Amino acid sequence: MVRFETVLYKHIPLENDAQFVILKLKNFIFDEEVLEESSLHILAEKLDPVARLAGNNFATLGEQWTLIRPE
């Protein structure tokens, strides 16, 4: 697990109730399982990240999928 401590830097309302939020990173904490302490490299396979792409699209390392929101 990774935890980020942030503060709001800028908030921009967009069309259709969308929001654009820019955060300033103040601090971060990595679980010992996902960080190689000697090199400070993140072990991505242990972290198992998920990315939010445009629209309803998401991705993990090497895979993409679409999640349709209910009406």
Side-chain angles (χ1 to χ4, degrees), residues 6-71:
T6 62
V7 293
L8 180 63
Y9 178 77
K10 192 164 191 174
H11 170 250
I12 304 169
L14 302 173
E15 295 178 12
N16 300 323
D17 293 327
Q19 309 293 316
F20 183 67
V21 179
I22 302 173
L23 302 173
K24 182 176 181 179
L25 182 63
K26 300 296 270 182
N27 193 18
F28 56 89
I29 300 169
F30 288 90
D31 190 310
E32 294 174 359
E33 290 185 19
V34 300
L35 184 66
E36 176 62 49
E37 290 188 47
S38 62
S39 63
L40 296 179
H41 289 152
I42 296 170
L43 305 172
E45 66 280 356
K46 298 270 186 170
L47 183 60
D48 196 21
V50 175
R52 172 85 187 266
L53 306 175
N56 294 322
N57 299 314
F58 295 83
T60 59
L61 295 176
E63 180 184 1
Q64 290 187 22
W65 73 92
T66 300
L67 179 64
I68 304 298
R69 295 181 185 182
E71 293 290 324

